[in-house]
Amino acid sequence: QVQLVESGGGLVQPGGSLRLSCAASGSIFSIYPMGWYRQAAGNQRELVATITSYGTTNYADSVKGRFTISRDNAKNTVYLQMSSLKPEDTAVYYCTLNSRGSTYWGRGTQVTVSS
């Protein structure tokens, strides 16, 4: 079993920055592809960013140039650095990990961008 715990969410003003963290624990035997999803209230969950086992990253067009996904393999942790935040970035952000064809999800952390 793999457990994912997100942290770092909160309230931030438009144009501000925030860094989310996701720590993986449990049956961690190698470097796995990981990513971030988000879901705004009443909306569908959407993919925000991914990072492969080799460190290759991919971003949704809506966050490209503003968000950066990274990982610290020694800590089994993935990060999402969010800059130039907009009100439309407001959502619950979820961390994911892919292992042996299965996707594991964290419980999410709330990010609210508002004045």
Side-chain angles (χ1 to χ4, degrees):
Q1 182 71 23
V2 174
Q3 295 83 42
L4 302 173
V5 179
E6 302 97 336
S7 62
L11 176 64
V12 64
Q13 294 184 343
S17 299
L18 208 60
R19 189 175 80 156
L20 306 182
S21 299
C22 173
S25 62
S27 301
I28 309 299
F29 304 115
S30 63
I31 303 172
Y32 303 102
M34 298 182 71
W36 290 93
Y37 283 75
R38 68 184 182 186
Q39 185 170 26
N43 288 17
Q44 291 184 293
R45 188 153 47 195
E46 63 175 343
L47 181 64
V48 176
T50 60
I51 184 165
T52 70
S53 300
Y54 308 103
T56 301
T57 59
N58 194 31
Y59 300 91
D61 289 339
S62 59
V63 307
K64 191 171 297 183
R66 300 188 298 118
F67 290 12
T68 301
I69 187 171
S70 62
R71 64 192 305 161
D72 185 337
N73 294 326
K75 297 180 179 179
N76 291 322
T77 299
V78 66
Y79 305 95
L80 185 67
Q81 177 66 50
M82 305 182 293
S83 300
S84 302
L85 284 163
K86 306 173 181 179
E88 50 262 45
D89 295 319
T90 296
V92 177
Y93 284 72
Y94 297 90
C95 175
T96 64
L97 180 152
N98 294 319
S99 175
R100 301 182 66 182
S102 298
T103 300
Y104 297 87
W105 294 80
R107 293 182 178 180
T109 184
Q110 175 71 231
V111 172
T112 302
V113 184
S114 176
S115 297

